Amino acid sequence: MILQKVSNFPTKFLFNFPHKFEMAARPSSDLAKFRREHLASAQHLVILTGAGVSAESGVPTFRGAGGFWRKYQAQDLATPQAFYRDPSLVWEFYHYRREVMLSKEPNPAHDAIAEVEARFAAEGKRVVVITQNIDELHKRAGSENILELHGSLFKTQCTECGDVRPNHDSPICEALSGHGAPDPDATAARLPVSDLPRCQVGNCGGLLRPNVVWFGESLDEEVMDAAHEELENCDLCLVVGTSSVVYPAAMFAPQVAMRGVPVAEFNMETTPATNRLGGKGFFFEGPCGTILPQALAE
């Protein structure tokens, strides 16, 4: 599947649901009912998370009004074409993002998700996080069962041999030290390709790229297969801080709801998925770091 926005996703995939499902009533906001009737009895919980979770940790999204790094938005730099044209500029962007993440911490939403996973595991039950985020804040909070749909800022991929491995070096290479400032007037470093991050496997020495899914690229098939398996087997699904406009992840919650499985959305505002959560749907409006801990508390 290709990472796409709703505006250019093939029409045949756009909410191909029965009419009566499309016209479903607004989901419930009864938190006590959610906890009593669904969370308490759940055996296999899937939690879908998006940028809204990390935004509460102060992580910039580079989307929407004001979402710029220098004069660029993410879609200007997060493409194979941009990397081919100017790998130095793209690495400056990702170096900045990596360094910013080192100053951020998981927030109460991340902590609540990790805590419910540990609690369920102790009871022989399963929790899996399927995230669109690339910041590893779920992992730092203590979550263990994580599927990263879009990869990770802290993994690299060799453009020559294909090797993928974790990398938490700061800076990722000496040449990038002191570069990557987000100011619109900042001067591009224009580093030679030979000074950019290089593969350390044997004598490869190939140019490294961030191991993230760029716009126009296919999502990892193994990760997608694992995500679909979890979604097919879960008996409760939470949607937390995601805009539900990036496909294929935008289809996940409505597809689960079509199976008659309860789906609860936690968000600052309604999304395209909100009214497609079925008869057992819930919507809780507000900051994820405030409402999610209440919903998942023991």
Side-chain angles (χ1 to χ4, degrees):
M1 300 294 286
I2 304 295
L3 175 63
Q4 299 188 58
K5 289 293 185 69
V6 65
S7 59
N8 60 6
F9 197 75
T11 305
K12 66 180 179 178
F13 291 116
L14 293 180
F15 302 117
N16 187 23
F17 306 128
H19 180 72
K20 65 180 180 180
F21 187 78
E22 293 243 5
M23 298 302 292
R26 182 176 176 85
S28 170
S29 58
D30 188 335
L31 188 60
K33 179 179 179 181
F34 164 78
R35 289 173 49 78
R36 180 180 66 251
E37 297 186 7
H38 301 296
L39 183 66
S41 60
Q43 299 293 313
H44 186 161
L45 171 60
V46 167
I47 304 176
L48 308 173
T49 70
V53 176
S54 294
E56 293 181 36
S57 289
V59 177
T61 63
F62 302 105
R63 295 178 183 174
F68 286 84
W69 177 83
R70 298 181 184 169
K71 61 181 180 180
Y72 307 99
Q73 288 191 299
Q75 58 266 36
D76 299 322
L77 298 174
T79 70
Q81 295 80 8
F83 190 70
Y84 177 80
R85 287 194 306 268
D86 196 341
S88 174
L89 182 66
V90 172
W91 260 122
E92 275 199 85
F93 175 56
Y94 281 96
H95 166 64
Y96 168 75
R97 297 181 70 178
R98 284 165 57 99
E99 295 300 306
V100 165
M101 283 313 308
L102 295 177
S103 69
K104 305 302 180 184
E105 297 293 336
N107 64 57
H110 296 106
D111 294 336
I113 291 169
E115 288 165 6
V116 77
E117 179 183 335
R119 188 169 80 241
F120 270 42
E123 299 170 359
K125 301 188 288 188
R126 181 170 178 79
V127 174
V128 176
V129 177
I130 302 176
T131 186
Q132 295 170 277
N133 299 335
I134 61 174
D135 50 43
E136 294 193 356
L137 285 178
H138 284 300
K139 181 177 180 180
R140 288 169 56 187
S143 292
E144 296 182 1
N145 297 327
I146 308 169
L147 294 174
E148 296 171 321
L149 294 178
H150 298 165
S152 169
L153 278 173
F154 297 99
K155 290 181 181 177
T156 58
Q157 177 183 339
C158 179
T159 59
E160 294 292 333
C161 72
D163 178 72
V164 175
R165 63 180 57 200
N167 184 307
H168 293 83
D169 295 346
S170 175
I172 190 169
C173 70
E174 287 303 319
L176 283 167
S177 181
H179 295 295
D183 310 295
D185 296 330
T187 302
R190 303 196 183 283
L191 299 171
V193 173
S194 59
D195 289 346
L196 296 174
R198 313 298 296 192
C199 182
Q200 301 299 312
V201 175
N203 296 320
C204 178
L207 176 64
L208 296 179
R209 55 162 281 181
N211 189 51
V212 297
V213 179
W214 282 332
F215 289 96
E217 290 188 321
S218 298
L219 275 67
D220 185 281
E221 289 188 12
E222 291 185 5
V223 174
M224 284 296 293
D225 287 345
H228 282 301
E229 182 174 355
E230 298 293 342
L231 293 162
E232 283 294 318
N233 290 290
C234 70
D235 58 5
L236 179 61
C237 179
L238 310 187
V239 182
V240 185
T242 176
S243 62
S244 296
V245 296
V246 177
Y247 279 72
M251 297 187 295
F252 290 168
Q255 286 178 337
V256 171
M258 286 182 67
R259 294 199 291 113
V261 172
V263 178
E265 182 180 7
F266 298 79
N267 237 321
M268 290 294 293
E269 58 188 6
T270 58
T271 70
T274 303
N275 290 324
R276 296 178 170 89
L277 299 182
K280 297 180 181 179
F282 292 83
F283 176 75
F284 303 107
E285 185 172 359
C288 300
T290 300
I291 56 176
L292 193 63
Q294 298 173 17
L296 298 182
E298 190 169 5

